[in-house]
Amino acid sequence: MTNTVSEQYEHIDFSPIVAMTDGEVVTQSRVRDIRLPSGKVLALVTLDNGRDHTRPNTLGPATMFQLGETLDALKARAAAGEIQAVGITGKQYILAAGADLSDISKVGSKDDARRVAQLGHKVFGKLSELGVPAFAFVNGLALGGGLEIALNSTYRTVDASAAAIALPEVFLGIIPGWGGAYLLPNLIGIENALEVVISNPLKQNRMLKPQQAFDYGIVDAIFPAANYLEDSLAWADGVLGGKIKVDRKNVPGKIERLTKWPIAIKMARGMLESKIGTVPKSPYVALDLLDKARNGSKAEGFAREDEALAELITGDQFAASMYAFDLVQKRAKRPVGAPDKELAKKVTKVGIIGAGLMASQFALLFVRKLQVPVLITDLDQARVDKGVAYIHDEIGKLEAKGRLDGDSANKLRALVTGTTDKSLYADCDFVIEAVFEEVGVKQQVFGEIEKIIAEDAILATNTSSLSVEEIGAKLVHPERLVGFHFFNPVAVMPLIEIVKTPQTSESALSTAFVVAKNLGKNAVLTADAPGFVVNRLLAKVMGEAARAVYEGTPVGDVEKAFAPLGLPMGPFQLIDLVGWKVAAHVQDTMVRAFPERFYANENFHALAELPEVVEKDKGGRVTGWTKAAEKVLKPAVGSSPASADEILRRVQDGLAQEIKIMLDEGVVPEVEDIDLCLILGAGWPFIDGGASPYLDREGASERVFDDTFHHPVITGIAG
């Protein structure tokens, strides 16, 4: 092994990846000299792609080649005594949003993937070999490679208003491959590094705020936005002159490596196996890199990252993740089939029928996001009061966490009204129901409200599986009704299925899409078909799990059989989360609609009456039935258990069949919309790309309909 990073990568021919620069939006490295108060000169590199803040700086190959040349020139100037320091920062609000993923997905071989990793190490490694200190001024968004620029520098400051700081690679099926996996644990200790590199990406890609980055020791100083660059330059001058001592609690000599490090790795491995199973590759590859970062040189650490990144970039999980990432970043923001937003009715007051937990969650979301009056009603004042109290309490929690100031919290409380007087719906523009999941009940409440509201007011139903057209069959104006299906928990899940009936007007549909966007949700248009998209496919998964149990397969074995799907939880763990009564109801709905393709069992309802149905381990995984559930099951369970392979094949083929039928029936415009719904509404993993790329790769599509959903199949690169 060589002593320096630059020596390590000097002999590598990077010309094969020059072709990947075609079409790249190049982030330029602009240099200007700044004379510090002490008289020393700092050469400041500003990364700028020439676009506004909506197009962040990214780090494609052309960008990296140019940055490397810039740093070489600065090293020569430092040797000549012309400059005493180098600083690197970004355009307004943004340092860099990491590697240009569109470029990375163009790699044609494992060798080229390795070169991408090596190029990053070669260029960023120059920051530590300039002959003078390198200061990273993290002036805004710093993700992935953007943060790794800072980690490769000698010192770091951060703007207190920076949008987010993170290493999100594991979320996308890869690892921090430009120094992050080695440098971070050696800077901030293993526990904090595990959180940043693995835990946060797996928590819906959680990011760090600047203060957290400072508290963890990722950056050395934090300054307010108003004079951020001036303060950072003055700080750098103080460091250069010895007036400011940078005290790092986790410098290499202070990090305990013999005991704490391996214990933290072992605990993290157990947590991963419990929470996500063993199908996702990137978290475990990252874990191994963090483990090995305990010993050895930087050059060895970087070489390990090169190999790991080459392996993952060319794998199926990254290809599927890129497909999923594109769906969430692009397709979700421009919903297919959404009418012109100019047709939408302006919503100045929202009515919510019901005051239970779901209705109260709706009210909290609507009042926070739309900042308009919200009315909730129920059958009696006690229920109404309970709902309003819940909303006020939740607003209080947000205030206590500092997410709302006192004035804003009081304003939101004042906007929420609870009553039993339905006449107050008269001036509502948008009314949504959150009542019992039964067609007759929904027809009744909408019938009452329609007599009160204006003719152009919109009605929305949150039904999870019932026919929206049937719910509106008794309305005088069925064209005003639209399905508006949230997922639980309402505040967290990003999807709304917007359901169009044959009668739904373009105005009602447009209003629904605009309201969904203003709520901060992603909306997908679906036809009025049983279960719509997410619940229809989850019912297939749950039904196959139930079928296996009633054949005689132990519940723990059934859960394990589903593991290769890579779902965030097993089928019975999911049923336990959504509720056994809800699951039983959805299964009944689907079996009534499609008895030949869906499975339900009357014992579902008996189980739903029990206070506890399943036993779980510490990680929440289902391990068996409660004694009460076993009594319900015992007379009904058969004696022909299915093998894990048989169960998995059934669910794969069942999903492939159902998705093909849904596309043939026009439930959604394209298969991409089904995958988007599963990712956003069911937590289907990025590494599967939703369901369809996975089913293509596993051969289920070919087995069921002699074709694939995607042409070509979304898969990794061999060799």
Side-chain angles (χ1 to χ4, degrees), residues 661-685:
I661 290 169
M662 290 163 75
L663 293 171
D664 291 344
E665 291 176 348
V667 174
V668 291
E670 295 176 291
V671 74
E672 286 83 357
D673 299 300
I674 287 176
D675 290 323
L676 187 58
C677 284
L678 290 173
I679 291 163
L680 297 177
W684 218 277

Side-chain angles (χ1 to χ4, degrees), residues 292-303:
K292 290 171 182 169
R294 177 166 61 114
N295 300 308
S297 67
K298 185 197 294 187
E300 291 168 333
F302 285 8

